[in-house]
Amino acid sequence: MHEVIICEKPSSAEKIAKALSPSAKKKVYNKKVKYWELKRDSKDITVVSGVGHLYSLVPEKQKYKVSFDLHWVPAHEASKSSAFTKNYLNAIKKFGKNADSYIHACDYDVEGTLIGYNALKYACGEDSLNKSSRMKFSTLTKKDIIDAYENRINIDMHQVDNGIARHILDYYFGMNISIALSDCVKKTKHRFLKLSVGRVQTPTLSILVNREKEIRDFIPEPYWNLKAILDFEDIEIKHVDGNIFDRERAEEIFNKCNGKDATVDKITFSNSTTKPPVPFNLSGLQAEAYSVFGFSPKRTQIAAQNLYSAGYTSYPRTSSQKLPESLGFRDIFKQLSANHEFKKHIDQLPSKLVPHNGKKDDAAHPPIHPTGILPANLSKDEQKIYNLIVYRFIAVFFESAKFQSMRTVLDIEGEKFKFSRRRVTHKGWMEHYPFKKIDNEKFPDVEEGDVMSVKELISEEKETKPPARYNQASLIKELEKKNLGTKATRADIIDKLYDRKYINGTQIEVNELGENLIDTLNTYCNDLTSEELTRDLENKLEGINQEQTTKESVVGEGEKDVREILTDIDKNMKGIGSKLYEAYQASNVVGTCPACGGNLIKRYSPKTKSSFVGCSNYPDCTTIYSIPKGTHFLKKTCEKCGLPIISFGKPRQRACLDTNCGKDKTKPHDPKVVGECPECGKNLLKRSGRYGDFVGCSGFPKCRFTCSLEELESKLK
């Protein structure tokens, strides 16, 4: 009897094969794809894998046209960038043909379920679904794999329908509307402009644009802080009113208190506790890794996925903050104790292991936790994330940390000032979580009634600040709070906004193209930027899992919404095309044209599939510069010619935008030198502009000398 197990990734296939049989044999198909053969329970088993999605949705008719008729095709046929999937698909077709039974062993989530379902249906034949079962596991340990194999379940068709509906809606909202917007620019301005919108991507960008406008429109308000430095231990005390927005009140306090002593009016001691942290779900891990290491959410997700695939930690794409007892806490700690550093903390665990769980749950997977298997040969990123996961797992079993606070109120001429101190009385969990700073301040030896001289009284004038920009971690928290996207997709959505050059910076700023895209959509088709529409669709997609709705119903509603948006776009084609192209030009200005003074703009040529820099006054001015792939424009300019300095290549190199700069002063424009600049002594070059030929200095823009040919001839005479 022949059984085929289909896995999501090659690393998972290896783990599953070796867990089911220590004598599993590695084979190679077509000299490229590894697969495994083994025997178990009188069955000949072949373990094969994909590499993520092996099938993609494409329109029935012409590509790059708006379409609602979609079908699944092999990913390598849909995109050249997926050519690497072809051999994996062929391997599944070969070994999956006419098998007696099939096991779906991809990751247990919506995407993993859809990946395996499509591989069974289209590669092995629709009949394979009738002979299929499903393995459900949260870690790739031998114990969990064997348990999942021996207790297989049916394929969850609700998850399948959810996944199919998501992909269809993502195409409708993403590809169809992106194509429609690009067509607006093409038909209005006769220029190709690659635009990108999406069901979750666009509301996410809208959140960032709204924050950008809040910051820009913010009007700062002045306020004053009054503080004094005591002679005793240089203690700094602050006025109890905090921010004082009345200048006269601030001046009155300062004049009254300046040069006067302070008397300790009241000392209050209080005790407090800080509860242990809750177990990591994906967004919690991403936020902590950003705070501790400065890792982007995507970087953290990749490291966590690698740790899971290697069997060191559990499945990362989880929402749960509740550790179930069934994990076997003591067994995990026993294995982790083989590491000396971990053992020092594990030996101090309480006799009764009760984790401090959070509120969020996930029916599919527990929180992220170590499996107990100690890793070897981790990358730097993986080691940092692994340590973070292990120490968090240890910390949640310890008791709360305890603190004592001292609040001291002082009197200066009837005005109250204060200072506070906090010290730890019991470290609790904080002693076992090295990524948390512990407040442990010294309490000064003061008593009520003590009189202290004031070394200096200070009045600081400040201004209120606008709301802070989002970083990647805080944006993911905001998306989670607003129920936009999923735990698995939020990091990818943010990455896409960076890739599309809509946003930049660690503290996220939206550039002109990103802001104008949202403004244009808000003006002409604001449904696409609507959080409510996206959230409503997300709830309905989740409703498929709960049998509250159907795939057909959700897709039908999504199609209706998209058709309405496309109608709005079609009605306002000229306005949309003009605004988007203007925004594109403005956001891609990299410098000033040395030939005519126009803007140098970074452009993309679909014909050559490469970027270049050209003048905004084309065709009147034909100035053009080719640029290498992956070029970044720096804020610096060339000292010789004033053009931008670019960064490119690996390792990164820097150079002037003009590749001939420093080689021949007369290139790349008209090489004819017609004289010497009377202002700076550099070459005068004959140039062509919108209004005919003229003479300009090669030192432009630092030297802006120009004259007509007639004026030059007259000067030369």
Side-chain angles (χ1 to χ4, degrees):
M1 186 173 181
H2 182 217
E3 185 169 73
V4 173
I5 300 177
I6 297 176
C7 306
E8 190 167 329
K9 300 179 182 71
S11 57
S12 302
E14 181 176 0
K15 287 282 181 186
I16 289 171
K18 289 182 176 180
L20 295 178
S21 173
S23 59
K25 295 180 180 178
K26 181 174 71 174
K27 304 277 186 174
V28 180
Y29 169 75
N30 201 22
K31 299 181 180 180
K32 294 182 179 179
V33 176
K34 296 175 185 177
Y35 66 98
W36 299 81
E37 290 184 347
L38 58 100
K39 286 184 178 292
R40 186 182 178 89
D41 300 335
S42 303
K43 295 178 185 175
D44 293 318
I45 301 175
T46 303
V47 184
V48 290
S49 83
V51 274
H53 284 283
L54 298 175
Y55 288 86
S56 299
L57 278 177
V58 298
E60 290 285 354
K61 298 178 182 178
Q62 189 176 356
K63 284 184 180 181
Y64 309 116
K65 295 289 183 184
V66 172
S67 175
F68 292 93
D69 297 320
L70 309 175
H71 66 287
W72 294 98
V73 300
H76 67 269
E77 293 179 11
S79 171
K80 290 181 181 178
S81 63
S82 298
F84 66 95
T85 65
K86 183 177 181 180
N87 285 306
Y88 289 89
L89 181 59
N90 288 340
I92 292 175
K93 286 181 177 179
K94 175 179 173 60
F95 300 113
K97 187 176 182 180
N98 299 322
D100 297 298
S101 62
Y102 302 84
I103 297 177
H104 182 324
C106 297
D107 291 345
Y108 196 83
D109 61 6
V110 168
E111 288 301 305
T113 300
L114 181 60
I115 287 168
Y117 174 84
N118 279 345
L120 288 165
K121 181 175 181 179
Y122 298 110
C124 303
E126 197 154 355
D127 185 55
S128 66
L129 294 171
N130 299 321
K131 298 184 283 184
S132 296
S133 56
R134 179 78 157 105
M135 286 174 63
K136 179 184 177 182
F137 46 84
S138 293
T139 71
L140 287 169
T141 60
K142 182 176 181 179
K143 175 181 176 297
D144 277 13
I145 289 169
I146 292 174
D147 183 64
Y149 179 82
E150 292 178 347
N151 297 282
R152 297 190 296 276
I153 59 177
N154 293 326
I155 296 174
D156 187 341
M157 290 307 298
H158 299 310
Q159 278 192 331
V160 172
D161 286 347
N162 185 324
I164 293 172
R166 282 181 185 279
H167 278 255
I168 292 173
L169 290 178
D170 285 345
Y171 190 99
Y172 286 176
F173 280 87
M175 187 65 75
N176 278 350
I177 297 176
S178 296
I179 290 170
L181 293 174
S182 294
D183 282 347
C184 287
V185 177
K186 186 176 181 181
K187 291 174 182 177
T188 304
K189 292 294 182 180
H190 307 290
R191 294 283 190 273
F192 174 78
L193 180 56
K194 189 176 182 180
L195 292 164
S196 174
V197 296
R199 182 173 59 88
V200 182
Q201 176 188 323
T202 304
T204 301
L205 181 58
S206 182
I207 291 170
L208 294 170
V209 169
N210 290 339
R211 177 57 56 90
E212 200 70 36
K213 289 180 177 180
E214 285 179 51
I215 293 170
R216 190 166 59 238
D217 296 342
F218 181 81
I219 300 174
E221 185 179 356
Y223 67 89
W224 289 262
N225 280 333
L226 290 168
K227 63 183 181 180
I229 309 298
L230 302 179
D231 268 334
F232 181 73
E233 295 185 4
D234 285 336
I235 294 173
E236 180 181 289
I237 60 176
K238 296 181 179 179
H239 196 277
V240 294
D241 286 355
N243 297 340
I244 300 172
F245 289 89
D246 184 339
R247 177 194 288 270
E248 291 182 1
R249 166 73 175 141
E251 290 176 350
E252 177 191 344
I253 297 172
F254 183 85
N255 293 332
K256 189 199 310 187
C257 299
N258 195 23
K260 306 298 182 179
D261 291 337
T263 302
V264 178
D265 185 48
K266 188 176 183 181
I267 300 175
T268 306
F269 293 94
S270 61
N271 297 312
S272 62
T273 60
T274 301
K275 291 181 179 180
V278 298
F280 277 137
N281 57 18
L282 180 58
S283 62
L285 177 63
Q286 289 169 325
E288 188 77 343
Y290 182 88
S291 174
V292 175
F293 307 124
F295 284 8
S296 71
K298 184 67 174 178
R299 186 175 173 184
T300 299
Q301 193 165 315
I302 289 170
Q305 180 66 36
N306 290 342
L307 291 170
Y308 160 71
S309 297
Y312 303 135
T313 58
S314 62
Y315 188 66
R317 295 183 182 89
T318 176
S319 298
S320 179
Q321 297 173 322
K322 297 181 179 180
L323 287 167
E325 289 186 21
S326 58
L327 292 179
F329 304 143
R330 293 198 183 279
D331 288 340
I332 294 174
F333 284 130
K334 184 177 180 180
Q335 293 179 74
L336 290 175
S337 292
N339 177 291
H340 176 68
E341 289 300 316
F342 297 156
K343 186 176 188 299
K344 288 191 296 186
H345 301 280
I346 292 169
D347 285 349
Q348 299 178 56
L349 281 165
S351 56
K352 189 176 181 181
L353 296 178
V354 180
H356 178 240
N357 288 327
K359 295 179 180 179
K360 296 179 181 177
D361 208 347
D362 188 323
H365 298 285
I368 303 169
H369 63 277
T371 62
I373 300 172
L374 292 174
N377 302 320
L378 295 181
S379 70
K380 289 182 179 179
D381 281 8
E382 291 163 0
Q383 187 66 61
K384 287 180 177 180
I385 296 300
Y386 180 73
N387 288 345
L388 198 61
I389 291 170
V390 171
Y391 282 116
R392 173 61 71 93
F393 181 69
I394 293 171
V396 301
F397 289 93
F398 279 94
E399 66 276 10
S400 298
K402 297 178 181 179
F403 294 88
Q404 184 182 47
S405 297
M406 173 189 187
R407 186 176 187 271
T408 306
V409 178
L410 301 97
D411 184 284
I412 305 177
E413 294 296 307
E415 295 293 338
K416 303 299 183 184
F417 288 75
K418 66 178 181 178
F419 72 87
S420 298
R421 295 288 185 270
R422 192 169 90 134
R423 65 187 177 193
V424 63
T425 56
H426 178 66
K427 291 182 179 179
W429 67 270
M430 288 186 172
E431 188 175 2
H432 310 285
Y433 191 65
F435 308 103
K436 184 72 173 178
K437 182 182 177 182
I438 302 176
D439 294 333
N440 200 13
E441 298 171 311
K442 179 184 175 183
F443 283 15
D445 186 15
V446 296
E447 295 181 359
E448 291 180 5
D450 286 353
V451 178
M452 301 180 179
S453 63
V454 175
K455 183 186 293 186
E456 183 182 10
L457 184 65
I458 302 166
S459 177
E460 291 182 330
E461 182 178 356
K462 298 184 177 182
E463 287 185 336
T464 53
K465 294 181 178 180
R469 285 191 166 90
Y470 289 101
N471 57 47
Q472 293 191 45
S474 63
L475 181 56
I476 279 189
K477 280 188 175 180
E478 185 72 9
L479 295 176
E480 185 177 27
K481 185 174 78 174
K482 292 177 178 291
N483 194 24
L484 298 176
T486 67
K487 51 187 175 288
T489 61
R490 291 178 185 124
D492 289 324
I493 287 163
I494 296 172
D495 262 18
K496 191 171 287 186
L497 292 175
Y498 278 105
D499 290 341
R500 297 293 185 262
K501 311 299 182 188
Y502 293 151
I503 61 175
N504 56 72
T506 305
Q507 301 300 315
I508 302 173
E509 295 183 57
V510 183
N511 66 24
E512 196 162 349
L513 178 59
E515 185 170 334
N516 275 275
L517 174 63
I518 295 301
D519 287 346
T520 302
L521 294 173
N522 281 335
T523 300
Y524 298 109
C525 43
N526 63 1
D527 279 352
L528 187 55
T529 63
S530 166
E531 292 178 22
E532 289 72 22
L533 175 63
T534 303
R535 189 160 41 244
D536 182 55
L537 280 172
E538 190 64 45
N539 289 335
K540 286 173 180 173
L541 285 166
E542 288 302 317
I544 295 174
N545 289 351
Q546 312 302 325
E547 296 186 349
Q548 296 169 351
T549 187
T550 64
K551 172 187 68 179
E552 292 74 19
S553 174
V554 177
V555 170
E557 288 184 45
E559 179 178 343
K560 179 185 174 185
D561 292 333
V562 172
R563 287 189 182 276
E564 289 175 359
I565 292 170
L566 292 174
T567 299
D568 289 337
I569 291 173
D570 191 55
K571 286 178 182 176
N572 300 284
M573 181 176 293
K574 287 186 178 180
I576 293 172
S578 297
K579 284 181 177 290
L580 291 179
Y581 188 67
E582 288 167 11
Y584 167 76
Q585 284 193 308
S587 66
N588 283 277
V589 172
V590 298
T592 305
C593 177
C596 70
N599 289 325
L600 289 177
I601 298 175
K602 182 183 175 183
R603 302 181 185 276
Y604 176 79
S605 168
K607 185 176 181 180
T608 62
K609 295 183 179 178
S610 61
S611 296
F612 65 96
V613 171
C615 181
S616 60
N617 290 329
Y618 178 86
D620 296 318
C621 178
T622 56
T623 298
I624 188 171
Y625 300 93
S626 60
I627 54 175
K629 188 175 182 181
T631 291
H632 294 294
F633 290 84
L634 307 180
K635 292 182 179 180
K636 295 182 178 180
T637 55
C638 177
E639 293 180 358
K640 294 180 180 179
C641 68
L643 287 171
I645 297 294
I646 60 174
S647 169
F648 60 92
K650 289 185 180 180
R652 302 302 288 181
Q653 304 174 53
R654 293 187 177 191
C656 177
L657 175 63
D658 178 4
T659 55
N660 292 296
C661 181
K663 297 178 183 177
D664 183 346
K665 292 183 180 180
T666 64
K667 290 183 178 180
H669 309 298
D670 193 331
K672 187 175 180 182
V673 177
V674 295
E676 187 177 283
C677 177
E679 293 187 4
C680 71
K682 291 190 176 181
N683 289 332
L684 285 178
L685 308 178
K686 180 182 175 183
R687 304 187 185 279
S688 296
R690 181 177 293 183
Y691 303 107
D693 294 339
F694 68 98
V695 173
C697 179
S698 62
F700 182 88
K702 288 189 175 181
C703 178
R704 295 180 175 270
F705 175 81
T706 60
C707 67
S708 66
L709 287 174
E710 293 76 13
E711 287 175 328
L712 179 65
E713 288 172 3
S714 132
K715 288 180 181 180
L716 291 175
K717 288 178 182 178

